[in-house]
Amino acid sequence: MKDLTAIANLSILLVEPSDVQQKLIIKSLTQCGVSQIETATSQAQTLTMLENYQPDLIISSMYFSDGSADSLLQKIRVTPGIEHQAFMLVSTERNKTYLEQLRQSGVLAILPKPFSAEAITRALKATLDIITEEEVELEHFDVTLLRVLVVDDSRFARKHIIRVLAGMGIPTPVEAENGKQAIEHLNSQSFDLIVTDYNMPEMDGKELTETVRSSNAYSHIPILMVSSEANDTHLANIAQAGVDAICDKPFEPATVRELLFKIMS
């Protein structure tokens, strides 16, 4: 009931050029209890609206007459004041390259068209987790003193991870762009947790995990792997490397909170 009440209070900006799709998505949102819905049909109109109005969530289609969800999100991520805007994609797009770019920029969810009521409700709850700070209670740690190393070659993805962690009461982590940089940090300071991407240049997440696990100095550090890999073989290889948990990208704060509690307690 608490979640339903909170969802009803969400403000949403729907970016969709099709009148038909607009009506369908608004109907679904209304059925979930959402009533505060503004609409835009282009990238330019969206950016203009965001100058004076910052919604709790942007729900966007993939393509507009003057750009795409990717180009819109890139502009949002580099604009002070709105760079942390929660963003969700609703699209029939199946091109892995396009979708991977959006995952790296920190989308909350990628929903197919048509989507189920369960899927949109879950995505709305993820939005609530992002904008509502809820400190993680760990049995053996004061979460406000947790020393975290975030490793991802995408600056936008690192920002998204850091924002999710901050909402849980975790202080600003140390950042690394790849496994090689991460090892340099590990050799110079102590950490309680490593959150790493899988696909990275120089040294990827699997190689980083293997290096950490073979070290006498920091093999004990829990590792949370964040990956957009759907391939079972890849995931099996990651697990065998010695990670403590694997989380999908885009990941939901509730899932991260649950995994942190599991691997840190």
Side-chain angles (χ1 to χ4, degrees):
M1 185 63 69
K2 180 182 176 183
D3 279 342
L4 293 177
T5 302
I7 285 175
N9 292 326
L10 284 173
S11 58
I12 290 176
L13 174 56
L14 172 61
V15 188
E16 171 59 70
S18 163
D19 288 340
V20 173
Q21 290 296 327
Q22 262 195 29
K23 289 177 181 177
L24 288 173
I25 295 172
I26 289 172
K27 181 180 179 181
S28 295
L29 291 171
T30 303
Q31 289 173 342
C32 292
V34 179
S35 59
Q36 302 176 64
I37 307 170
E38 299 290 335
T39 59
T41 58
S42 68
Q43 177 172 286
Q45 185 184 8
T46 303
L47 293 171
T48 299
M49 291 178 70
L50 290 175
E51 291 176 6
N52 302 304
Y53 166 65
Q54 191 162 356
D56 294 318
L57 173 67
I58 290 176
I59 298 179
S60 176
S61 65
M62 189 64 176
Y63 301 106
F64 336 112
S65 60
D66 59 348
S68 66
D70 183 44
S71 63
L72 171 60
L73 188 52
Q74 295 291 331
K75 285 182 169 62
I76 289 172
R77 292 290 181 248
V78 298
T79 303
I82 62 171
E83 68 268 32
H84 298 305
Q85 174 66 58
F87 195 98
M88 183 194 305
L89 177 71
V90 177
S91 175
T92 55
E93 180 62 67
R94 292 294 182 269
N95 186 301
K96 285 187 67 176
T97 302
Y98 292 152
L99 296 180
E100 180 63 21
Q101 289 172 347
L102 285 157
R103 288 189 179 98
Q104 295 291 354
S105 297
V107 293
L108 283 184
I110 299 177
L111 300 185
K113 288 181 181 177
F115 51 79
S116 65
E118 181 182 356
I120 190 67
T121 300
R122 182 169 178 170
L124 293 175
K125 286 181 179 179
T127 303
L128 288 174
D129 280 332
I130 282 284
I131 64 178
T132 307
E133 296 186 358
E134 183 178 335
E135 193 170 292
V136 182
E137 294 184 6
L138 300 176
E139 186 177 347
H140 303 297
F141 292 88
D142 178 349
V143 72
T144 62
L145 300 177
L146 210 59
R147 298 162 299 180
V148 180
L149 176 61
V150 173
V151 192
D152 199 305
D153 58 315
S154 166
R155 180 168 60 92
F156 296 132
R158 292 198 306 272
K159 278 188 172 183
H160 179 63
I161 292 169
I162 290 168
R163 186 184 180 203
V164 171
L165 295 177
M168 299 176 190
I170 297 172
T172 304
V174 173
E175 299 178 50
E177 294 181 5
N178 53 55
K180 188 177 178 181
Q181 273 191 16
I183 295 299
E184 292 173 2
H185 286 303
L186 287 165
N187 286 331
S188 63
Q189 55 190 301
S190 299
F191 293 96
D192 303 306
L193 173 68
I194 298 170
V195 181
T196 180
D197 187 24
Y198 176 70
N199 291 310
M200 297 181 292
E202 298 276 349
M203 179 188 285
D204 65 23
K206 180 174 180 288
E207 294 168 325
L208 169 61
T209 300
E210 290 171 341
T211 303
V212 169
R213 291 293 175 249
S214 63
S215 163
N216 291 326
Y218 35 76
S219 61
H220 63 284
I221 302 175
I223 298 175
L224 172 60
M225 179 77 73
V226 181
S227 174
S228 55
E229 288 286 344
N231 185 296
D232 288 341
T233 302
H234 279 254
L235 295 177
N237 288 337
I238 294 170
Q240 288 175 6
V243 299
D244 294 271
I246 301 172
C247 191
D248 290 335
K249 185 188 282 187
F251 58 84
E252 298 174 359
T255 303
V256 177
R257 186 179 291 112
E258 182 179 322
L259 290 175
L260 282 180
F261 184 83
K262 177 182 176 182
I263 66 179
M264 297 302 295
S265 296

